Amino acid sequence: MSNWMFQCVNGSEDSDQPDPPKPVPRPGTKDEDEETAGQDERSPEAETPAISPEGLARFFG
């Protein structure tokens, strides 16, 4: 992303702007290009494991 932005800002005003890069998908979300036929739709909350308060306190120390 930063290389694309650098090229847009520092390129000639007369030249065509490059196409923006494809965004990096976030974990737990489906890619728009993936075929999801035959799969059930599940909420992200169902896929995310629950974190206990003790585990959270241990992580942050």
Side-chain angles (χ1 to χ4, degrees), residues 13-59:
E13 291 182 14
D14 298 331
S15 66
D16 291 336
Q17 296 294 322
D19 293 333
K22 182 178 176 183
V24 177
R26 294 181 178 263
T29 60
K30 294 180 182 175
D31 190 12
E32 293 177 359
D33 297 336
E34 288 182 6
E35 294 295 324
T36 58
Q39 297 177 356
D40 1 303
E41 295 291 324
R42 297 188 330 181
S43 67
E45 291 82 19
E47 297 175 8
T48 306
I51 300 172
S52 68
E54 294 83 18
L56 193 60
R58 193 174 33 233
F59 177 78

